Amino acid sequence: MELNDLRISIIGAGIGGLTAALALRARGADVRILEQADAIREVGAGIQISPNGLRVLQALGLGDGFRSISVRGQAVSLRNARGGEVLRMDLGDLPEAHSYRFVHRADLVDLLAARARAMGVRVRLLQKAQDVTPGPRPQITLCNGDATCADLVIGADGLHSVLRPVLNGAAQPFFTGQVAWRAVVPNKVGHPAEARVHMGPGRHMVSYPLRGGDMVNLVAVQERSDWAAEGWSHRDDAANLRAAFAGFGGVVPGLLSGVDNPGLWGLFRHPVAQHWQGEGVALLGDAAHPTLPFLAQGANMALEDAWVLADALAGAPDMAQGLAAYQQRRRDRVVKVIDAAGGNAWKYHLRNPLVRGVAHLGLGVVGRLAPGAMLRSFDWLYGHDVTA
């Protein structure tokens, strides 16, 4: 399919929307992004970009720029609540081109936005979408009453997408019984270039460095019956976070002492959208498949989606077949990733001391006897290359 004359409107200037804009623009499409905020900015904190996501950034010509703003991960370390290491998965042997990296979400968005503008992608701010009408010339209705049409509309507008319910009806998420805090703190504990999973009964905390190692990203998850609202804009008293992890040792107390006004949100499980595309419209990233943060793949799946969408359209005889191919190529993989993420939390949260001790002992034995086995178990995920 020839994309040179295709006019594409993307709702949302996050990681998925900006990456899609770059991939489509590189194939000749006329692309504009509609963003509801008054500036391109990204809330949130750190993210992990695994080799499967890094391949997309490299294929878009952003490899060097991305490496300059990210920290190369040397290991993933599972640790007990006392601070002792249970299992270490070495990442240092991964080749530079397929390395595992930590980056502040805002820094990645800035990199993508700068390249998009340089390539001629038009970004319109203060454009909040209210509705999308699929069709031969799909229409976006804005909250200010304006309407605009395109040849293709892409909903990359996240968890509360305006396009998803048009294609799938109202979502029915359920509360997982877990909440998560997030924060970025100064690295006063000498945190190394690794992702550490600090595991305790009914809770765990992930930490890894950002911005040259000067800062540390924290995501702390606790099981509890009372739910918190979904979304990243809610704040909490740092004392509540410190109280939840008061029994943890190692570097955890030092990290938590630097927390001020952390974010707090409830973790909800969403079904993967049944329909990712319709006449002249497509979903991408969290708009199609919100992901729990237990496999660090939310941003990576959005990067993969963006590349495959552009590639499927370019390789199809018409738009309908291209959009159908996009969903066919992506949905099963995303379902597998989300199911794997959803199954991880209980492994970190074992409450029974005997069960926890046996499980940690078993992990330690695996780590000592077959140190590469754990990393090889992720070949299906990290070895996947949508750009091949």
Side-chain angles (χ1 to χ4, degrees):
M1 178 181 172
E2 181 60 59
L3 302 189
N4 283 337
D5 297 323
L6 202 67
R7 296 187 62 193
I8 299 175
S9 289
I10 299 174
I11 305 172
I15 291 172
L18 287 165
T19 305
L22 288 173
L24 290 161
R25 181 64 185 144
R27 290 166 173 81
D30 178 7
V31 184
R32 67 174 175 172
I33 299 175
L34 304 180
E35 167 57 41
Q36 64 180 334
D38 60 357
I40 292 185
R41 63 173 66 92
E42 181 58 71
V43 297
I47 55 175
Q48 301 176 52
I49 300 297
S50 50
N52 50 305
L54 178 58
R55 291 184 180 97
V56 174
L57 294 173
Q58 291 182 153
L60 292 171
L62 295 172
D64 290 343
F66 178 69
R67 280 186 282 273
S68 73
I69 62 170
S70 61
V71 174
R72 180 172 182 173
Q74 297 299 315
V76 175
S77 171
L78 303 186
R79 312 178 81 83
N80 60 35
R82 298 185 303 276
E85 188 168 79
V86 174
L87 175 70
R88 184 177 184 82
M89 186 169 73
D90 187 11
L91 303 174
D93 291 336
L94 291 172
E96 177 68 20
H98 302 153
S99 55
Y100 196 106
R101 310 195 74 91
F102 313 128
V103 66
H104 198 292
R105 188 181 295 264
D107 296 341
L108 176 54
V109 166
D110 287 346
L111 178 70
L112 294 168
R115 177 60 65 89
R117 285 185 165 124
M119 291 180 63
V121 174
R122 290 166 293 134
V123 180
R124 295 184 59 193
L125 304 173
L126 295 172
Q127 304 293 303
K128 182 175 175 59
Q130 184 178 56
D131 193 20
V132 177
T133 305
R137 289 280 294 167
Q139 177 175 287
I140 303 171
T141 303
L142 302 173
C143 289
N144 63 10
D146 291 344
T148 181
C149 293
D151 298 312
L152 172 64
V153 171
I154 298 171
D157 46 346
L159 196 64
H160 304 295
S161 169
V162 298
L163 177 56
R164 176 176 170 134
V166 173
L167 296 174
N168 296 275
Q172 298 295 326
F174 64 88
F175 180 52
T176 64
Q178 300 170 98
V179 299
W181 291 271
R182 61 174 174 81
V184 176
V185 299
N187 187 4
K188 296 180 179 180
V189 301
H191 198 296
E194 60 187 44
R196 290 183 167 180
V197 184
H198 313 267
M199 305 177 293
R203 67 208 68 202
H204 78 278
M205 186 177 83
V206 178
S207 60
Y208 52 86
L210 302 172
R211 292 179 169 166
D214 293 336
M215 310 298 291
V216 176
N217 187 74
L218 304 179
V219 178
V221 177
Q222 179 190 34
E223 295 177 5
R224 68 189 200 193
S225 57
D226 56 319
W227 62 277
E230 192 172 27
W232 284 8
S233 60
H234 314 291
R235 315 309 297 182
D236 192 30
D237 189 329
N240 294 329
L241 169 57
R242 285 191 276 270
F245 288 82
F248 281 59
V251 300
V252 172
L255 291 170
L256 293 180
S257 69
V259 175
D260 180 35
N261 196 30
L264 174 69
W265 75 101
L267 299 181
F268 286 73
R269 184 74 181 265
H270 291 253
V272 175
Q274 189 65 36
H275 305 288
W276 292 32
Q277 48 87 27
E279 188 174 16
V281 296
L283 296 170
L284 184 148
D286 281 352
H289 47 77
T291 308
L292 292 173
F294 302 135
L295 200 58
Q297 284 299 303
N300 293 288
M301 290 300 101
L303 290 168
E304 288 188 6
D305 284 354
W307 181 275
V308 173
L309 175 57
D311 186 64
L313 287 170
D318 56 49
M319 185 182 297
Q321 292 186 61
L323 294 178
Y326 160 63
Q327 175 168 338
Q328 190 275 329
R329 287 168 59 178
R330 290 300 298 154
R331 195 175 189 279
D332 286 351
R333 173 163 168 81
V334 165
V335 168
K336 183 176 181 179
V337 168
I338 289 176
D339 286 347
N344 263 2
W346 71 270
K347 301 174 186 177
Y348 302 151
H349 294 181
L350 294 171
R351 291 180 178 274
N352 184 296
L354 179 60
V355 174
R356 186 168 63 250
V358 170
H360 288 184
L361 178 63
L363 287 172
V365 170
V366 170
R368 288 190 297 273
L369 297 182
M374 184 64 72
L375 183 58
R376 287 194 299 273
S377 72
F378 288 97
D379 283 350
W380 67 274
L381 180 58
Y382 301 153
H384 193 73
D385 185 1
V386 296
T387 71

